[in-house]
């Protein structure tokens, strides 16, 4: 039987209930968020009202019907343990005061935990903590059961009707306060959402405005970052381009809001699992949001975030033409920024930026293509100099100014003399380097006095804007001297020997075509005379016309078989017998008579007719050899091959076909190749000679001693004989040095098992001296002059030949 309370006890009980109501109301008035409100209510119940403990729990609607403690005071038990113990399921464990109040939706009072029918676990739980009475009041928020407020008192029979009524009022006030807080929170959230949507809309509008007048990519990106921070209300913004390296590095290209310097992206961050997830997500075109960077343990810039004042950020993928190029990063001050609607607008903004960048790049590519086309049309791709087309315009403009000012100007054509050999010997990279070096030397030599252009593969042009013949010749000599300085190409030193032809305005022409043509004629003259520099002369026009006419006649003579085959005999010195002849070509011009061989052969070499001419000689020699063999004459004919012939890719096939056509046997035909031709391309020449040797023909090095070949190179060549150049032979009886060279050459050749022929044997004394030195064969006027091939047999029959 419950002992009646005294008036004093009832007043004290009502007083603590009133203190609970009063303190709760004060807390409700000051509250701005749920967690602090609930914590303050529990404190008031225990510290101000005098109860033993207070607990606010939230009912979870999960399968286990768990209960989550939200705030407590006086319980002195870890929240995790308390959460594990509480449940509102209809089980033994769930029949606590808290579980019962939540499950039934009605207040639950245990006025004496030692005697009331409660589960043993909760009886022991209360006894250990000194709780004699326990009250749990359900909390309904917005019409839904939220959880319960539980209060424990130290004495039994603590909660009579009056005290219970006051505490139920306090619980109702708490529930109402929670509703009010949530309403205010939703209102704030709605306001924040409107603000965020407004800043996202301003961002998109600003980006599209920037795109409408953007002229280049860097300034566009920088303007957008500035607008995002300064006009739209975000804290920081930056754009990074992907480096596509192993560390997944982002290279910042624009940023705003970083007053104390941009953050340093750690290269090691790309190796983290979080970074890989972010990169993988962005690569699919989806954004990544950091909701609370201050408390995210995987966010690498937490300290920077606190210092710079941002709490959340979003990384938006930037794609151009469907290819990810980087990301746009926007950082907000608040920790819960970038909700779904704001994010949707920002993603659309990033897409707009991607489209804008694509348009900018397309325009830039079109402009670059246009510039490239312009450069290709007007400038040389290797040297960057004006090309022939652009030069015509420059020359026309310069002529117009010169005419107006009545002053002279000069036009110089500069040709690299050995460019073809260099081009065939070196690789493209070295050749381009050589051309660039020549262009640089020309520009430095000419300076401000004129302009430099590239006319053709091996030819440059210099336009001297002010100056006549004297100034042009002085400049030409400076150019020759400058180009003669060696060029280092991959360790190989080459001098760029050149020839220069000069034409002048007004003396040589008043239009671009005339000056260019006459400078070309002067260039030919410089090349032919070996002077290096030639100034155009009036007669050169006629000479050039004659050369063109002669070139056409020579082509016709080759095609119509109008040339003549001559032979110069060779004599075996030991026996005095004829041992063969050298096949030579002569040209009886129908109007000009017999043309000097040196003249038309040089013309053939300079105009590309030398190889057709060689093939004519080959066919004529085989035809003559066939005729001789039919007549019983067994004498080989030697055919000369030039450096141009060795470069002909069809040479071997043509020779093989001709030998097959005439049924030539070994010994019919021999080939002579000058030493200088072999040294022009030693590697290619060795390969060609090796293939020639497979055709079972004899090979001779002609003009030996003039090409500076090395002994080691000579040893590798598959040749049968050498011909000592006539420059050493002709004066060997009077010149000790020449005699020494001839003797040494004969000894060297014999040591290498090579046969030796001396050419240019003009007298009996030279013949006898050569015989004494052991020379194998001789050729020259002492033995016989070149004669028509059809007269060779009659000549051979003569008893005396030297």
């Amino acid at each position: 039987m419950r002992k009646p309370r005294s008036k004093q006890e009832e007043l004290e009980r009502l007083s603590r209930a009133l203190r609970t109501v009063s303190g709760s109301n004060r807390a409700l008035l000051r509250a701005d968020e749920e967690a602090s409100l609930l914590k303050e209510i529990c404190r008031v119940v225990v510290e101000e009202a005098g109860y033993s403990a207070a607990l606010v729990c939230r009912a979870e609607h999960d399968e286990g019907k768990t209960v989550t403690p939200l705030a407590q005071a006086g319980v002195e038990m870890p929240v995790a343990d308390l959460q594990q113990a509480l449940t509102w399921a209809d089980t033994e464990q769930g029949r606590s005061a808290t579980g019962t109040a939540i499950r039934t939706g009605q207040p639950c009072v245990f006025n004496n935990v030692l005697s009331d029918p409660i589960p043993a676990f909760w009886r022991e739980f209360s006894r250990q903590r000194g709780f004699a009475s326990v009250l749990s009041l359900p909390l309904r928020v917005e019409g839904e059961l939220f959880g319960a407020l539980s209060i424990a008192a130290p004495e039994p029979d603590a909660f009579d009707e009056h005290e219970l009524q006051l505490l139920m009022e306090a619980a109702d006030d708490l529930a109402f306060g929670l509703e009010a807080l949530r309403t205010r929170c939703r209102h704030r959230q709605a306001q924040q959402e409107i603000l965020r949507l407004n800043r996202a809309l301003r961002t998109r509008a600003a980006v599209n405005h920037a795109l409408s007048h953007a002229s280049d990519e860097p300034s566009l990106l920088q303007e957008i970052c500035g607008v995002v921070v300064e006009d739209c209300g975000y804290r920081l913004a930056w754009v990074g381009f992907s480096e596509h390296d192993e560390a997944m590095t982002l290279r910042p290209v624009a940023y705003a809001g970083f007053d104390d310097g941009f953050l340093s992206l750690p290269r090691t961050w790309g190796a983290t699992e979080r970074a890989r997830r972010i990169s993988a997500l962005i690569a699919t075109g989806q954004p990544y949001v950091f909701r609370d960077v201050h408390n995210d343990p995987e966010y690498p810039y937490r300290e920077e975030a606190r210092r710079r004042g941002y709490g959340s950020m979003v990384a938006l993928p930037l794609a151009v033409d469907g290819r990810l190029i980087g990301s746009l990063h926007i950082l907000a001050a608040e920790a819960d920024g970038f909700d779904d609607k704001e994010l949707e607008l920002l993603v659309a903004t990033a897409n707009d930026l991607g489209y804008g960048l694509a348009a900018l790049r397309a325009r830039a590519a079109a402009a670059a293509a246009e510039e490239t086309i312009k450069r290709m049309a007007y400038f040389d791709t290797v040297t960057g100099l004006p090309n022939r087309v652009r030069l015509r315009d420059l020359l026309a403009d310069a002529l117009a100014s010169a005419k107006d000012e009545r002053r002279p100007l000069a036009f110089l054509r500069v040709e690299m003399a050995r460019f073809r050999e260099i081009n065939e010997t070196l690789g493209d990279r070295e050749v381009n380097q050589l051309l660039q070096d020549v262009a640089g030397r020309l520009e430095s030599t000419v300076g401000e006095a004129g302009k430099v252009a590239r006319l053709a593969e091996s030819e440059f042009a210099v336009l001297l804007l002010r100056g006549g013949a004297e100034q042009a010749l002085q400049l030409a000599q400076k150019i020759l001297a400058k180009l003669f300085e060696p060029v280092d190409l991959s360790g190989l030193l080459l001098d760029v020997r050149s020839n220069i032809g000069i034409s002048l305005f007004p003396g040589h022409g008043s239009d671009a075509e005339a000056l260019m043509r006459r400078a070309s004629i002067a260039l030919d003259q410089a090349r032919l005379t070996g002077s290096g520099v030639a100034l155009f002369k009036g007669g050169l026009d006629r000479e050039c016309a004659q050369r063109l006419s002669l070139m056409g006649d020579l082509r016709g003579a080759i095609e119509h078989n109008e040339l003549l085959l001559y032979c110069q005999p060779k004599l075996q010195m030991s026996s005095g017998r004829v041992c063969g002849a050298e096949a030579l070509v002569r040209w009886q011009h129908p109007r000009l008579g017999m043309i000097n061989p040196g003249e038309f052969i040089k013309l053939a070499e300079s105009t590309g007719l030398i190889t057709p001419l060689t093939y004519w000689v080959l066919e004529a020699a085989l035809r003559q050899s066939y005729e001789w063999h039919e007549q019983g004459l067994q004498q080989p004919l030697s055919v000369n091959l030039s450096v141009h012939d060795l470069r002909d890719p069809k040479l071997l096939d043509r020779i093989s076909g001709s030998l097959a056509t005439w049924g030539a046997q070994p010994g019919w035909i021999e080939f002579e190749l000058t030493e200088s031709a072999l040294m022009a391309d030693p590697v290619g020449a060795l390969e060609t000679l090796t293939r020639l040797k497979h055709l079972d023909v004899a090979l001779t090095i002609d003009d030996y001693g003039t090409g500076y070949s090395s002994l080691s190179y000579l040893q590798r060549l598959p040749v049968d004989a050498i011909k000592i150049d006539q420059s050493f032979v002709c004066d060997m009886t009077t010149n000790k040095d020449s005699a020494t060279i001839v003797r040494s050459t004969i000894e060297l050749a014999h040591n290498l098992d090579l046969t030796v022929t001396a050419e240019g044997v003009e007298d009996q004394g030279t013949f006898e001296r050569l015989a004494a030195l052991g020379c194998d064969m001789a050729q020259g006027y002492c033995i016989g002059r070149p004669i028509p091939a059809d007269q060779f047999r009659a000549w051979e029959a003569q008893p005396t030949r030297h």
Side-chain angles (χ1 to χ4, degrees), residues 525-741:
Q525 187 68 16
R527 190 188 309 115
L528 290 171
T529 60
S531 60
V533 178
L535 185 66
F536 176 78
K537 297 177 182 177
L540 292 178
D541 261 339
R542 292 188 296 275
E543 291 180 20
C544 184
Q546 290 173 359
R547 289 185 72 248
L548 289 174
S549 175
L550 197 62
M551 181 180 70
D553 293 343
L554 178 58
R555 186 184 302 277
I558 295 172
E559 292 175 353
H560 299 106
N561 196 26
E562 295 171 356
L563 301 173
L564 302 174
L565 181 67
Y566 272 55
C567 297
Q568 184 170 21
K570 298 178 185 178
L571 194 71
Q572 189 175 50
M573 304 190 75
S574 60
S575 64
R577 293 182 305 192
V578 176
C579 58
E582 181 178 357
L584 303 171
V585 62
R586 295 293 185 264
W587 182 18
Q588 180 73 34
H589 193 278
R591 179 171 49 84
L592 302 175
M594 188 67 76
I595 304 294
N596 185 297
E599 182 179 344
F600 75 79
I601 288 175
K602 185 176 288 187
L603 176 65
E605 288 178 337
S606 65
T607 58
L609 291 174
I610 188 64
T611 298
L613 184 61
T614 298
Y615 291 151
W616 183 92
V617 174
L618 175 63
E619 287 293 323
L622 283 169
R623 185 185 303 110
Q624 186 63 62
S625 293
Y626 176 79
E627 182 179 335
W628 285 348
H629 281 76
E630 288 290 298
Q631 299 171 357
L633 182 63
Q634 307 290 327
Q635 295 292 358
L637 271 174
S638 298
V639 176
N640 290 286
L641 296 178
S642 73
V643 63
H644 302 278
D645 299 328
L646 295 180
R647 297 192 186 104
D648 183 11
K650 299 179 181 179
L651 175 68
L652 273 296
D653 292 338
R654 186 66 180 264
I655 293 175
S656 178
S658 296
L659 293 175
T661 299
W662 292 101
Q665 300 299 316
W668 284 26
I669 294 293
E670 298 175 352
F671 289 104
E672 295 185 5
L673 305 96
T674 63
E675 187 182 16
S676 58
L678 298 175
M679 295 310 297
D681 180 12
V683 176
L686 176 59
E687 180 182 355
T688 302
L689 262 63
T690 302
R691 295 173 63 194
L692 267 175
K693 196 62 184 172
H694 290 159
L695 298 179
D696 201 16
V697 295
L699 301 176
T700 297
I701 300 178
D702 194 9
D703 297 340
Y704 184 79
T706 61
Y708 307 105
S709 63
S710 66
L711 179 60
S712 61
Y713 179 65
L714 183 63
Q715 285 179 305
R716 295 201 306 272
L717 294 176
V719 296
D720 304 283
I722 61 173
K723 290 178 74 172
I724 304 175
D725 186 70
Q726 60 182 349
S727 63
F728 302 114
V729 174
C730 66
D731 65 346
M732 62 177 290
T733 58
T734 58
N735 187 311
K736 183 180 178 180
D737 291 337
S738 294
T740 301
I741 291 173

Side-chain angles (χ1 to χ4, degrees), residues 150-165:
S150 300
I151 301 173
E155 71 280 0
D157 300 322
F159 304 107
D160 61 13
E161 182 178 349
H162 298 292
E163 189 172 3
L164 178 61
Q165 192 66 36

Side-chain angles (χ1 to χ4, degrees), residues 198-465:
N198 281 337
R199 70 183 180 185
L201 284 169
R202 289 198 303 273
T203 299
R204 188 173 189 186
V207 166
N208 282 288
H209 176 72
L211 290 173
S212 67
H213 65 264
S215 58
D216 66 276
E217 191 169 301
S219 58
L220 167 66
L221 296 175
Q222 189 58 49
E223 179 182 355
I224 286 173
C225 289
V227 167
V228 166
V229 173
E230 297 165 13
D231 298 342
C232 300
Y234 291 103
R235 184 69 184 87
L236 306 166
W238 64 281
V239 175
F241 281 173
S242 302
E243 295 287 9
H244 301 292
D245 55 4
E246 186 176 351
M248 302 179 183
T249 309
L250 280 176
R251 173 173 54 88
V253 293
Y255 53 89
F258 297 83
D259 298 331
D260 56 346
F262 189 74
L263 58 84
S264 300
L265 290 172
R267 297 185 68 84
T268 55
W269 185 39
T272 66
E273 181 61 31
R274 174 70 167 272
R276 283 193 288 270
R277 290 199 307 270
I278 295 171
S279 297
L281 186 66
I282 291 177
T284 65
Q286 300 181 60
Y288 193 92
V289 179
F290 291 90
R291 295 292 183 190
D292 185 359
V293 298
H294 293 172
N295 299 308
D296 187 340
E298 291 188 322
Y299 185 70
Y301 309 115
R302 291 191 297 278
E303 183 57 36
E304 292 218 26
R306 295 185 185 95
R307 178 166 55 84
R308 296 179 188 273
Y310 66 89
S312 57
M313 66 162 291
V314 62
L316 302 160
L318 276 180
V320 173
D321 294 329
R323 183 178 66 88
L324 185 73
I325 64 165
S327 46
L328 167 63
H329 301 251
I330 299 177
L331 297 80
E334 67 276 12
D336 58 346
F338 309 108
D339 57 25
D340 291 344
K341 292 183 178 179
E342 183 179 16
L343 189 59
E344 182 180 351
L345 280 170
L346 292 177
V347 167
T349 302
N351 291 337
D352 293 344
L353 178 56
Y355 296 142
L357 290 176
L360 267 181
R361 292 186 176 187
R363 290 201 296 271
E370 184 177 348
E371 182 63 26
T372 299
I373 292 171
K374 182 179 178 181
R375 289 198 63 82
M376 289 175 65
Y378 295 107
F379 293 88
D380 176 56
T381 56
V382 175
T383 63
L385 294 175
N387 61 12
R388 179 183 289 269
V389 175
R390 178 61 179 154
L391 176 64
R392 291 178 188 276
D393 295 339
L394 294 173
L395 185 51
D397 292 343
L399 283 169
S401 298
K403 290 174 184 177
D404 291 342
E405 299 173 14
R406 290 179 173 79
R407 57 173 170 78
L409 62 77
F411 183 76
L412 293 74
R413 295 183 79 133
V414 183
E415 180 189 53
M416 301 164 61
R418 296 182 297 145
F419 183 74
R420 177 173 292 181
E421 289 81 358
I422 294 171
N423 195 23
E424 292 175 352
T425 303
L426 301 178
D428 290 342
R429 185 175 66 85
E430 287 80 7
V431 171
N432 288 344
Q433 181 185 339
L434 173 64
L435 290 168
Q436 290 160 5
D437 188 277
V438 170
R441 294 185 185 195
L442 288 172
E443 287 187 304
S444 65
T445 304
V446 174
E448 298 297 324
K451 298 182 181 297
V452 180
R454 188 180 179 197
L455 279 179
E457 186 179 46
S458 61
E459 192 174 337
F460 293 83
V462 174
L463 177 57
L464 183 62
L465 297 173

